[in-house]
Amino acid sequence: MQDPNEDTEWNDILRKKGILPPKEIPKDDEKEELGLQEHSVVKTYESMTLEELEENEDEFGEDDEAAMEMYRQKRLAEWKATQMKNVFGEMGEISAQDYVKEVNKAGEGIWVVLHLYKQGIPLCSLINQHLSALARKFPQTKFLKSISTTCIPNYPDRNLPTIFVYFEGEMKAQFIGPLVFGGMNLKVEELEWRLSETGAVKTDLEENPKKQIEDKLMSSIRCSLPVRKDSDSEDEDD
């Protein structure tokens, strides 16, 4: 008599027809399969980001909550470690030899603001002061400065100050020459706003501070304009 548990083509046909019962899984195989399933679930947790864990929270049962919380804490710790690793907080100085390492290979998710300057140019000194303040305010962004001709040979002084903005090694914006910055009246808030427009910093300013200054200027001009009196107009008519 043929064994109904044998893996034969005929037995498979009989099982499909319902003549033979489904093949029983040996206990050892059951344990192995359960272990594989559990391993698969664990790998699913491990492969998820914090956002994905939050999004899929409703899809897991009560038994999974402890494991989910464990992996959430693990992901959170990894994220915090990355953030701490990427804290800069001050403006650094680089040479041409440092350019590739510090700018082009700054790392994943890193914004770099590089100021090319020369000593003796007042606007360059002002921008260095502003960028130093912004480096403290936005420690997740890498702020760097470099003497222009040290970093780029024969770089023309007429292009100074120059700011290059990079993200993950790619240039995203550039500000070249004194006219772009508006001269010595440049405020740190205005520079912060300009950098926020490139994505390099996440400002808490609600609008362009330059616009506020322009609005006040236009308002003062309107107020200072002489008002024509009716008597003046009558005299003209005469």
Side-chain angles (χ1 to χ4, degrees):
M1 184 177 178
Q2 189 171 359
D3 184 357
N5 287 321
E6 275 187 343
D7 287 323
T8 64
E9 188 175 350
W10 176 245
N11 280 352
D12 288 339
I13 294 172
L14 295 178
R15 288 191 194 101
K16 289 178 183 178
K17 297 290 185 181
I19 299 172
L20 287 177
K23 183 182 176 183
E24 294 183 2
I25 301 176
K27 296 296 182 183
D28 291 342
D29 291 349
E30 285 181 352
K31 290 180 181 179
E32 185 179 349
E33 184 175 341
L34 184 60
L36 289 171
Q37 289 176 352
E38 290 176 350
H39 181 68
S40 176
V41 171
V42 169
K43 292 300 288 184
T44 301
Y45 290 138
E46 287 180 341
S47 63
M48 285 185 177
T49 63
L50 283 170
E51 292 80 6
E52 289 170 338
L53 283 171
E54 295 291 342
E55 290 173 2
N56 294 284
E57 190 172 4
D58 295 336
E59 296 182 13
F60 298 103
E62 294 181 2
D63 295 338
D64 298 320
E65 287 184 3
M68 277 191 66
E69 183 60 27
M70 180 181 68
Y71 284 109
R72 184 184 288 111
Q73 293 300 325
K74 179 183 175 184
R75 289 292 183 190
L76 188 59
E78 290 173 351
W79 178 82
K80 286 182 177 179
T82 301
Q83 295 301 306
M84 289 300 293
K85 181 182 176 182
N86 294 337
V87 167
F88 303 103
E90 60 183 21
M91 195 173 184
E93 179 113 17
I94 64 169
S95 63
Q97 289 76 19
D98 305 319
Y99 199 97
V100 172
K101 177 187 174 185
E102 298 293 338
V103 178
N104 299 110
K105 295 183 178 179
E108 184 178 352
I110 302 298
W111 285 90
V112 178
V113 176
L114 173 64
H115 177 212
L116 299 184
Y117 76 102
K118 261 192 178 176
Q119 295 182 356
I121 299 178
L123 185 54
C124 287
S125 299
L126 179 66
I127 288 176
N128 275 336
Q129 291 178 21
H130 289 344
L131 291 179
S132 293
L134 294 176
R136 292 189 293 272
K137 184 175 181 179
F138 302 102
Q140 304 301 329
T141 299
K142 180 187 281 191
F143 286 86
L144 300 171
K145 62 181 178 179
S146 179
I147 295 175
S148 57
T149 49
T150 299
C151 199
I152 303 175
N154 302 317
Y155 194 75
D157 288 356
R158 67 176 179 274
N159 288 348
L160 300 178
T162 290
I163 290 180
F164 294 142
V165 179
Y166 288 81
F167 180 66
E168 296 184 344
E170 292 185 11
M171 186 181 289
K172 297 297 181 181
Q174 54 185 0
F175 304 96
I176 299 175
L179 293 178
V180 172
F181 298 99
M184 291 298 292
N185 292 322
L186 176 70
K187 306 297 183 187
V188 65
E189 293 83 8
E190 295 169 31
L191 187 55
E192 177 181 333
W193 182 265
R194 298 289 293 275
L195 293 177
S196 73
E197 290 182 315
T198 71
V201 299
K202 294 183 179 179
T203 183
D204 51 5
L205 298 172
E206 295 182 357
E207 64 176 356
N208 186 355
K210 186 77 171 178
K211 181 178 181 298
Q212 295 176 356
I213 296 171
E214 289 171 351
D215 289 345
K216 289 179 182 178
L217 181 62
M218 291 303 296
S219 176
S220 64
I221 290 173
R222 283 194 295 271
C223 290
S224 64
L225 288 174
V227 179
R228 295 183 63 184
K229 297 179 181 179
D230 292 339
S231 59
D232 293 339
S233 61
E234 289 173 0
D235 293 341
E236 289 177 5
D237 292 338
D238 294 341

